[in-house]
Amino acid sequence: MVASLGLSACAGAQAPSAAEEQAGEAPSVALTASPSAAAPAGPPQGAAKGQVVAAAAATREAVPHVAAYVPPTVPAAARQAVQDAYDAVQKRRWADLDQLAPTAAADPVLGMYPQYWALRRRLQDPTQPVPDAAVRQFLGKAQDTYLDERLRADWIVASVRASNYTQALRIAPVRDPSSAVQCALLLARHMTAKHARAAEVQEIFKPNADCWGMLDQVNADHVLSRKELNGLLRDTLESGKVSDINRMASVVFDDSAMVQFAALMKNPRKWLDARPQPKAAVDVELVTAALARLARGDDRAEAAQYVQSQWASRVPKADIQWVWGQFGLAAALAVEPDAARWYRQSGFVPMTDFNHAWEVRAELRVSPIQWDRVAAAIRKMSGAQADEPVWRYWYGRALAAQGNEQAARQYFESISGDLGFYGQLASEELGHTPRLPAEPAPVDPAWVAQARANPGLERAVALFDLGWRREAVPEWNFALRGMSDTQLRGAAEFARQQQIYDRVVNTSLQTRQVVDFSQRFIAPFEGRVAAKARQIDLDPAWVYGLIRQESRFIMDARSHVGASGLMQLMPSTAKYVARKIGLKGFTPGQVNDFDTNTVLGTRYMDMVLQGLDGSQLLATAGYNAGPGRPKRWRAQLQAPVEGAIFAETIPFTETRLYVKNVLSNAVWYSMLFSGKPDSLKARLGTVSPDTVKTAMP
């Protein structure tokens, strides 16, 4: 009943992304160093990311002496001016900022923000001159702060847009620059006689205004070859974003070719039927683009037959192979069984990392799995991609299935210390009993006191107190730069004292040697969430694992699509569940109330679980993407598959990562709550087209 409604507790962007973080913010810290010797043939070898020694071996730091914390005196009028300035920004009353900034400056904690907002607005307005003198004056007061870093980034971009390339290059560099800043700086270097290289352009390009401007200029200066331009176009075609595709095509093609490109984008089959044998390079590229667009049509099988019969012999082999890779991708994202067959026709043509990943996933869904083809697909990847824990795990599985147990074991050992999804699975493949990491010594209060006295963290807490999370989170994260493990744990404890639970988790995740599960897997609210779960016989570890992924325990969390509260309930879902359980007088405003949110959230989890045969794997996917989707995905299976394969082949990037993180979290919470080993494999179970088998009750 519930599964057929298509409701979703939380929702997000469902379009697949080429940038796939395999573990999100899940921990990737090894508990013990792997002593593996030479690795077997296959993808490049290396230790698991973040691999470190056990917590007990961490270097001890001298406990700092910190004077008693004295909160700064904040004049009420100054803080009010800061709040009024924030309101002015939200309502785009830009003229108010300059009037409020002098009064706000008397706030010793947040007083810089109104002037920063005013300067940022001027830097982002191309109709105004770049306020160089005012920016320099501000930076002199804001040195080594987050606003210093942020404003320098905006100043670099604004200077390049104003063609002041020399100044842009003189501005002190920023850490972790955005693609816009990187493109601006590359253009500045290019325009000051340090010509850009094609490899640099290809590496940093992202479809935003500053990168388009850079690309236009370097293309006009013939930095990129025709082949390199075609590669950028093909990557953009793969994204499916029509506005970006058309913009990239305008870089690649002249006006005459653009007329043809517009026609093929509108109706590729009609355009192709009227085309003669392509001879010039530009004609080949246009035909290849049109053939790739056919993969996105309603009848892929008929389109593939048309490509094979009418065009396969008329277009260069490498181009046709790339087209088959696009057919494979479109079919894989639709979880169609033909995906692997089309991918196998793509040969070894270079593809994006996103597409290479889906070729492996397509092979994993074949029944029976041909593990040699899984291994071959992984070997097509770049060294960096093949070295990710996800592909090291599946390559190890492929080796084991082909009888090379020793080589497989080396692959599993290389990631078994990783605390995320695939590290857990690798550890189970090695026969290790799941265990919690060694508990580190308690954090000395002096380290918490040091965190409390940190000006950046102080600013962040003030912003959190005002409810300005968008400003508070980067302030907090910036203040953590350069901190040792002990300092990070102290900052995490400070966040716990302030009840900023998401910063407890995310700060502790940054430690490199010490693994503190009391911070990384906090279970706040004094057992009240677990009590709600037990009232309906729901696994508390699974509930906590889901909340940790959904909201990081932020009670008033809101997603960009309107999901709210600890358990990120969509308004329609909350209303439906309230009606089904007979919750009288429910109003949408109650969804952020702790008791209401957790009652509705746990009841919805239970409804989805019962509608999906008791499978936590399917129910987790259903909670994120709507319960109808996992039913459709499993209905397209050719035969039963292990849960790990089903999880890895979920076509929505957000949901795939969500499912892996939630179930990985649940295993750790289970062991924390019970003190007993728990199996990720058992939680994943087996998924078949019609029924679900799982070891979980």
Side-chain angles (χ1 to χ4, degrees), residues 595-680:
D595 287 316
T596 303
N597 190 274
T598 49
V599 165
L600 295 177
T602 53
R603 290 298 185 95
Y604 183 64
M605 284 181 75
D606 188 56
M607 290 177 180
V608 177
L609 184 69
Q610 299 310 317
L612 290 167
D613 303 331
S615 166
Q616 287 188 1
L617 166 60
L618 294 178
T620 302
Y623 195 93
N624 180 263
R629 287 195 171 101
K631 290 196 74 171
R632 290 197 295 273
W633 296 333
R634 70 170 181 173
Q636 289 171 278
L637 290 170
Q638 297 171 289
V641 299
E642 59 185 89
I645 289 176
F646 187 88
E648 186 53 52
T649 58
I650 290 172
F652 295 171
T653 297
E654 177 189 309
T655 304
R656 181 171 61 258
L657 301 181
Y658 176 90
V659 166
K660 291 191 284 189
N661 284 330
V662 168
L663 295 177
S664 173
N665 293 345
V667 169
W668 294 123
Y669 275 118
S670 175
M671 291 194 284
L672 283 166
F673 294 164
S674 70
K676 300 176 182 178
D678 191 60
S679 168
L680 178 57

Side-chain angles (χ1 to χ4, degrees), residues 72 74 79 106-113 455 458-460 462-463 475:
V74 180
R79 181 56 58 87
D107 183 336
V109 182
L110 302 179
M112 293 187 296
Y113 266 88
E458 182 179 52
R459 275 191 298 275
L463 292 165
E475 273 278 12

